[in-house]
Amino acid sequence: MTQDKPENAPEHCPGTESDQAGKASACAGCPNQTICASGPKGPDPGIALVKQRLCDVKNKLMVLSGKGGVGKSTTTSLLARMFAHMNQEQNFGVLDIDICGPSQPRVFGVLGEQVHQSGSGWSPVFIEDNLSLMSIGFLLGSPDDAVIWRGPKKNGMIRQFLSEVDWGQLDYLVIDTPPGTSDEHLSATTYLAGTDGSWGTVLVTTPQEVSLLDVRKQITFCKKMKVPIVGIIENMSTFVCPKCTVESIIFPNSTSANSTEEMCTEMNVKFLGKLPLDPRLARCCDEGKDFLTEFKTSPTVIAIKNIILEIQKHFECN
Ligand SMILES: Nc1ncnc2c1ncn2[C@@H]1O[C@H](COP(=O)(O)OP(=O)(O)OP(=O)(O)O)[C@@H](O)[C@H]1O
């Protein structure tokens, strides 16, 4: 699929942004004909709005995963907190566009905070002096409220999130996304591709075959959409005993030929590192505590630090 030609488009589809969309002879019989004929033409005006708003955001890092529950939100929060710890003189933001399951307010311990709107846009919630967060979770009445929206409404919210939050100057904006490749990803990638500065994505997987299969699809999505891939993070690779801190391998693929590292070599993407499963991390996320300061010597903290160095290296060179 190209950005303006649906997957089920006929062979000579003029593209959804063409003046001929829905009117060309090739459109006869196409299931999208009515929508194309009535939809607005030309590039999405949101692209310019997002570009303008994010002109002071140097680097944008989207966190993706093929499968749900592999630790994407946990990894997003660890990356953002570690970025902020290691670079006190720089500014960082986290944008949670997981519209149907926003978990960052809980993970950062700011559940129930309100975001304020001023003349210059929505003000994010500050976690540290140099780390702020914006999430749809702040706009929901209660943490149990469900968001059931169709594609266009989700896209509108993502455009609003990217174009109306007053971040100020940021060195990195880390973006948490829903699992898979859906409307949210298509919108976010379209808008981010139009911004100045650098952008890219890290993909999170576990060593299990089911997760690796999905991350392969995600890599293909990124390559098709021309999303720069910074690299792959393997989460829950090993188990760290909270008592003796000894690490044990829990998934068989961690050492086999089908490992994440092998897949990275095969698909020509960078392997950024492994994050061990540490039950104390899960507890910190549930309680909104900062794992990095609570458990400084955990192998997971050491691993995330090394991953940050790799990510910084990537953005410095691109
Ligand atoms: N390295 C880890 N060590 C311990 N627990 C972890 C680790 N990574 C993730 N978890 C736990 O696993 C669960 C799922 O993680 P998380 O919510 O980050 O996944 P996700 O991929 O963002 O999920 P979703 O698909 O719902 O967005 C959470 O309870 C989290 O605390």
Side-chain angles (χ1 to χ4, degrees):
M1 190 189 79
T2 65
Q3 254 164 294
D4 73 336
K5 284 191 189 178
E7 218 157 47
N8 55 353
E11 196 185 348
H12 299 294
C13 167
T16 54
E17 289 180 5
S18 156
D19 285 343
Q20 285 304 303
K23 296 179 194 151
S25 54
C27 303
C30 172
N32 305 310
Q33 186 177 18
T34 321
I35 307 173
C36 286
S38 60
K41 303 294 175 313
D44 179 347
I47 296 174
L49 291 175
V50 173
K51 179 181 164 125
Q52 166 71 24
R53 172 62 80 179
L54 298 186
C55 66
D56 282 335
V57 178
K58 253 194 221 159
N59 304 300
K60 279 101 12 193
L61 181 67
M62 217 167 39
V63 184
L64 302 177
S65 75
K67 260 215 146 12
V70 297
K72 174 181 35 57
S73 301
T74 307
T75 306
T76 303
S77 69
L78 282 176
L79 288 172
R81 283 204 197 261
M82 188 51 99
F83 261 132
H85 275 259
M86 287 169 69
N87 305 281
Q88 297 283 340
E89 70 297 346
Q90 297 187 354
N91 295 312
F92 302 90
V94 176
L95 178 64
D96 182 5
I97 60 166
D98 192 345
I99 285 176
C100 296
S103 44
Q104 295 301 345
R106 174 179 298 280
V107 171
F108 280 107
V110 287
L111 209 60
E113 287 274 340
Q114 298 286 314
V115 283
H116 302 285
Q117 200 160 18
S118 71
S120 53
W122 280 329
S123 306
V125 169
F126 274 80
I127 311 295
E128 308 273 350
D129 286 347
N130 64 341
L131 177 61
S132 55
L133 166 68
M134 180 66 197
S135 164
I136 193 169
F138 295 135
L139 307 176
L140 298 177
S142 124
D144 299 332
D145 281 358
V147 178
I148 306 163
W149 288 347
R150 287 188 190 278
K153 195 159 177 198
K154 284 190 196 165
N155 294 349
M157 181 46 99
I158 285 168
R159 189 191 58 223
Q160 242 184 318
F161 265 8
L162 287 170
S163 64
E164 291 185 18
V165 181
D166 182 17
W167 296 104
Q169 181 277 325
L170 290 184
D171 291 90
Y172 282 87
L173 177 64
V174 187
I175 304 166
D176 191 13
T177 61
T181 45
S182 53
D183 295 325
E184 290 91 325
H185 305 91
L186 284 172
S187 314
T189 51
T190 306
Y191 292 129
L192 292 176
T195 59
D196 297 324
S198 302
W199 74 296
T201 179
V202 291
L203 289 92
V204 181
T205 181
T206 62
Q208 292 151 294
E209 194 62 40
V210 278
S211 177
L212 285 175
L213 279 174
D214 279 1
V215 95
R216 282 171 181 270
K217 287 187 206 155
Q218 202 94 17
I219 294 171
T220 309
F221 166 85
C222 291
K223 288 184 174 169
K224 266 192 184 171
M225 297 295 291
K226 301 199 170 31
V227 177
I229 301 175
V230 180
I232 312 293
I233 298 173
E234 186 185 273
N235 188 29
M236 308 198 223
S237 311
T238 55
F239 170 74
V240 182
C241 171
K243 287 225 165 65
C244 61
T245 66
V246 166
E247 279 186 67
S248 341
I249 289 171
I250 44 175
F251 296 122
N253 265 356
S254 301
T255 50
S256 78
N258 296 325
S259 69
T260 311
E261 281 162 280
E262 290 280 335
M263 182 209 62
C264 287
T265 314
E266 186 201 319
M267 297 197 78
N268 195 24
V269 292
K270 190 166 175 59
F271 181 69
L272 291 170
K274 298 179 184 219
L275 282 180
L277 189 156
D278 188 331
R280 299 168 304 177
L281 170 58
R283 203 175 62 234
C284 279
C285 288
D286 284 350
E287 294 174 357
K289 291 190 178 147
D290 181 5
F291 178 71
L292 305 188
T293 49
E294 301 258 331
F295 301 101
K296 285 189 183 88
T297 55
S298 160
T300 310
V301 174
I302 297 160
I304 200 81
K305 199 173 200 166
N306 290 328
I307 290 172
I308 287 288
L309 293 174
E310 290 296 331
I311 294 174
Q312 285 179 330
K313 227 188 280 171
H314 170 96
F315 279 98
E316 278 157 20
C317 302
N318 286 279

